Amino acid sequence: MFKINIKATQNPAIIKFEFPDFISYGSNFEFKNIDETENSPLARQLFYLPFVKTVYISGNFVAVERFSIVEWEDVQDDVKTQIEDFVTNGGKVLIETSNETIKKIPVTVYGETTPNPGVLKFVANKPLTKTAVEFKNIDEAKPSPLAIELFKLPYVKEVFIDENYVSITKFDAYQWDEISIEVRSFIKQFIENGGTVIDESLITQTKEHEQQQDTYFDNLDVTSQQIINILEEYVKPAVQSDGGNITFENYNDATKKVTVTLKGACSGCPSSTFTLKNGIENMLREMLQNNEIVVEALNG
């Protein structure tokens, strides 16, 4: 049975229905009424619900804005079931077209500072990848046409892409106040022009993708699974907000050593490495009730 997840947004009138796979590549769509839904049978179906005001389709989700006549908690499960049944029965989310009959939503990209002065985080208003990937040079960047183009800029040293943002590590010879606007505009135009950020078919060959699969988790020992759950819930969100990522590598039960890898803005930043190592170590000791645990934090 086809399943989707319900996710709240910062706007209480809008809720997201996340699909297990991407449904739109490189384009964002907005439908204000049923007359605009010629190229989206799913959006047309949703507008038969009297409380649907706007339908957005982007990346791996469909977002629906409601009129104030209902609350989402009263109807969201019914909408979820309707979408699941529609797709399961062969309904199309989007119909490809050679002309621009569907209204595209302009992509916004903004820059955020990180604890690492050599790294800046560029955040987009749409999903970019389901698998965090890091590229140290252009030869590693084959799965990402965006990263390949970024490496052609003389000041780009490393590229890290996760969820809806790109973290760029610059060479020391350049200053962010001289290049940040150019990088932001470059990423924005690349996405708006339909460029492929990540080729998911190539990502499946990477270690990063393997580590994020259920089968990898299921084959680990219980302690390793507990460690991953703690990292995912308590550590990763803070690390990602700073433009980085953390991945579990292994746990040695004999030495009680947990090895993790820091990526993106956290990689190569001595203060971040030290702070995260000690913070994670204290957290794991407390939550697993084992003061023998030690953490080794590697730079990706």
Side-chain angles (χ1 to χ4, degrees), residues 178-297:
E178 300 171 347
I179 61 175
S180 62
I181 294 178
E182 181 179 352
V183 177
R184 186 190 69 81
S185 298
F186 182 91
I187 295 173
K188 181 178 186 295
Q189 291 175 10
F190 182 92
I191 298 173
E192 283 185 334
N193 291 334
T196 300
V197 176
I198 294 289
D199 184 338
E200 296 289 333
S201 65
L202 297 179
I203 289 298
T204 58
Q205 305 170 18
T206 65
K207 177 183 177 183
E208 289 83 359
H209 183 271
E210 178 187 348
Q211 289 177 328
Q212 296 181 41
Q213 303 309 299
D214 291 340
T215 51
Y216 173 82
F217 181 86
D218 293 340
N219 290 328
L220 294 173
D221 60 273
V222 174
T223 303
S224 294
Q225 291 178 343
Q226 291 175 326
I227 293 169
I228 289 177
N229 287 334
I230 293 171
L231 294 176
E232 289 287 331
E233 183 172 357
Y234 297 101
V235 180
K236 183 171 286 189
V239 172
Q240 288 178 324
S241 69
D242 286 336
N245 194 29
I246 183 170
T247 57
F248 170 84
E249 296 300 328
N250 57 71
Y251 167 69
N252 187 317
D253 189 55
T255 62
K256 309 301 180 187
K257 184 170 77 173
V258 178
T259 303
V260 298
T261 298
L262 304 178
K263 299 180 179 181
C266 300
S267 177
C269 182
S271 61
S272 293
T273 302
F274 179 79
T275 302
L276 274 172
K277 174 191 178 304
N278 288 290
I280 296 169
E281 198 171 89
N282 292 334
M283 180 181 296
L284 292 177
R285 286 179 176 181
E286 179 179 350
M287 299 187 75
L288 297 178
Q289 297 183 344
N290 189 336
N291 290 326
E292 296 181 5
I293 288 180
V294 293
V295 171
E296 179 184 23

Side-chain angles (χ1 to χ4, degrees), residues 73-100:
E73 61 183 17
D74 297 326
V75 297
Q76 63 185 28
D77 290 334
D78 290 337
V79 177
K80 173 180 179 290
T81 300
Q82 180 167 321
I83 295 174
E84 289 174 341
D85 291 345
F86 181 84
V87 176
T88 299
N89 293 327
K92 296 289 186 181
V93 178
L94 290 168
I95 298 175
E96 294 184 3
T97 176
S98 58
N99 53 50
E100 297 298 321

Side-chain angles (χ1 to χ4, degrees), residues 6-68:
I6 300 174
K7 290 289 181 69
T9 71
Q10 293 182 344
N11 185 337
I14 299 176
I15 202 164
K16 289 168 61 175
F17 299 91
E18 292 191 345
F19 285 60
D21 295 301
F22 278 73
I23 53 178
S24 173
Y25 292 87
S27 297
N28 306 291
F29 307 104
E30 178 181 7
F31 306 98
K32 289 291 188 181
N33 55 63
I34 198 169
D35 293 335
E36 297 180 355
T37 61
E38 177 183 354
N39 296 90
S40 177
L42 174 59
R44 174 175 290 269
Q45 180 77 13
L46 290 171
F47 274 112
Y48 287 124
L49 299 172
F51 54 82
V52 171
K53 180 179 181 181
T54 310
V55 177
Y56 308 90
I57 299 177
S58 176
N60 70 328
F61 68 86
V62 173
V64 180
E65 182 180 8
R66 61 170 173 78
F67 286 108
S68 58

